[in-house]
Amino acid sequence: MTFIDRLMAGPLFEHRDRSFWVLQIGGWAGYALVNYIGSLMHEMRDIYTVVLLLGAYAGFLLTIPLRYLYQRIWELHPVLLMLVVITASYVCASIWAVIDNATYWEIYKFGFRPDSPFFYFKNNLAKFYIVLSWSGLYFGIKYYQMLQGERQKALMASSRAHQAQLKMLRYQLNPHFLFNSLNAISTLIMVKENDVANKMVNKLSHFLRFSLDNDPIKKITLQKEIDALMLYLDIEKVRFDERLDIRVSITDEAKLALVPSLLLQPLIENAIKYAIAKVEDVGILQLQAYVEQRRLVILMCDNGPDAPDKPQALLNNTGVGLQNTQERLQALYGKQFSFTLKPNQPQGLCVEIILPYETLENP
C-alpha cells in the first residue's frame, strides 16, 4: 500500500476531501469575480460575463484531474515530481487556453476564426502561471494537512503512552496493598480471630470493588477519595483496634476538588507501615484539606517516631508509596504541583500536596 493509499484510508480523508471541494469551488469563483471586476474597467459587453464564467468553469474542470495525478505521483523523487508538475501544468494551461479562446471568439466575437491554429494558444503562458500557482497551493495545503495529521498522531501516541504510564503506576499499588491486607487476615485466622478476619475480608472486598470501578486515568472528587480512604482505614482499624486514631478535617470547598483516584491511600499505607506501627501508644493520623488561592492543599501527618532531619530523602527509602504518588502527580500535572515531606510537631512526618483547584464545573 502506497503512502497516498494509506492517507486516503485514514480517518482524516473525508474531511480533507471536503476541504478540497470547498477550496476548489471558492478559489475558481474568486477567480471569476476578480476577472469580472477587471472587465468593468474596460466597458465590456454584458455577454462577456458568460465568457468569464465559462473560462472559470473550464479551469475548475481541468484542474480536477491534476489532483488525482498528483496523488499518484506523490512519492516520486522531488526533481522528477517537479518536472511532472510543470509539464502537467503547462498541458492543462494549454488546453484551458484553447477552450478559453474558442469560447471568447465564438460568443463574444460572433464566431471569429483565426488564420493560424497557433492563435488558439494565445495567453497560454499567463494561464500556465495560474495553473502552476494552483499546483503550488495544492501541494502546500496537502503538506500542511499531512503535517497536522502527523502531529495529531504524535499527540495521540503520546497521550496513550501517558495513560499507560498512569495505569501502570496506579495498578502497582493494588498488589502491594492486597499483600499487606491478606497477610493481616492470615494472622487473624491463625490466632482464631475469625470474626475480626471476616469483617476485614468484607471491608477489603468493598475497597477493591471501588478500586476496580474507577478508571485510574480519570479524576474523582476529594469527597469520593475520602470515602474510599475510609474503607481502607476501616480495614486498618480492624488490625490496630484502639491504637489508631484518625482525624479528618476537610473544608466544603475542598470536597468538590478533583484529584487522581486513590491518591491518598498509598500515603496512609506508608504512614501506617513506617510510623503508626512503631508507636507504642496511640498512633494519630491527621488529614486536612483546604483551598487557598485556587490551589488545593492536602496535608497528611502522623505522630510516628524517628522522623529524619531531611524528610525529602524518604522518597527513595519507603517502598513504592511516596515515590509512586509523586510520579503519578508528575505525569498528570507536570510542574503544576508540589509534593513535600516535612517534620511534624512534636514528632512524626507530614506530607503536603498542593494541586491546581479543579472541579466538575470548572475542570
Side-chain angles (χ1 to χ4, degrees), residues 173-339:
L173 300 174
N174 291 343
H176 186 257
F177 157 72
L178 190 60
F179 172 79
N180 289 340
S181 299
L182 292 177
N183 187 52
I185 293 171
S186 175
T187 302
L188 290 172
I189 293 174
M190 289 180 62
V191 297
K192 307 300 181 181
E193 293 285 348
N194 294 334
D195 291 339
V196 179
N198 184 57
K199 291 181 181 179
M200 197 168 180
V201 169
N202 289 332
K203 299 290 185 181
L204 178 61
S205 67
H206 284 87
F207 180 79
L208 291 179
R209 184 176 294 112
F210 174 89
S211 176
L212 294 174
D213 288 343
N214 284 274
D215 189 337
I217 302 301
K218 295 181 180 179
K219 300 174 184 177
I220 62 174
T221 62
L222 183 60
Q223 179 62 63
K224 289 185 177 179
E225 174 70 7
I226 297 299
D227 294 341
L229 185 64
M230 297 312 297
L231 286 174
Y232 170 77
L233 289 173
D234 285 342
I235 297 172
E236 296 298 341
K237 281 184 178 180
V238 174
R239 291 175 54 197
F240 288 92
D241 198 16
E242 300 295 332
R243 292 182 51 236
L244 180 59
D245 183 11
I246 301 167
R247 303 173 184 178
V248 179
S249 175
I250 312 293
T251 65
D252 292 337
E253 189 178 16
K255 290 178 181 178
L256 301 176
L258 294 177
V259 297
S261 62
L262 293 183
L263 170 69
L264 301 177
Q265 182 267 330
L267 303 181
I268 295 293
E269 182 179 2
N270 189 82
I272 289 175
K273 180 178 180 180
Y274 293 99
I276 303 302
K278 297 180 180 180
V279 175
E280 295 182 0
D281 297 323
V282 177
I284 300 174
L285 285 177
Q286 292 180 305
L287 179 62
Q288 301 178 46
Y290 55 91
V291 178
E292 186 177 68
Q293 297 180 350
R294 302 298 298 174
R295 307 279 287 180
L296 174 66
V297 181
I298 301 174
L299 192 64
M300 197 279 294
C301 300
D302 62 63
N303 66 335
D306 305 326
D309 296 332
K310 297 181 179 180
Q312 206 70 14
L314 290 175
L315 284 174
N316 299 322
N317 301 319
T318 54
V320 300
L322 297 177
Q323 187 174 6
N324 190 298
T325 301
Q326 186 183 43
E327 289 176 359
R328 285 185 67 201
L329 293 175
Q330 177 70 40
L332 278 169
Y333 298 100
K335 297 181 179 180
Q336 296 183 332
F337 83 101
S338 172
F339 186 84

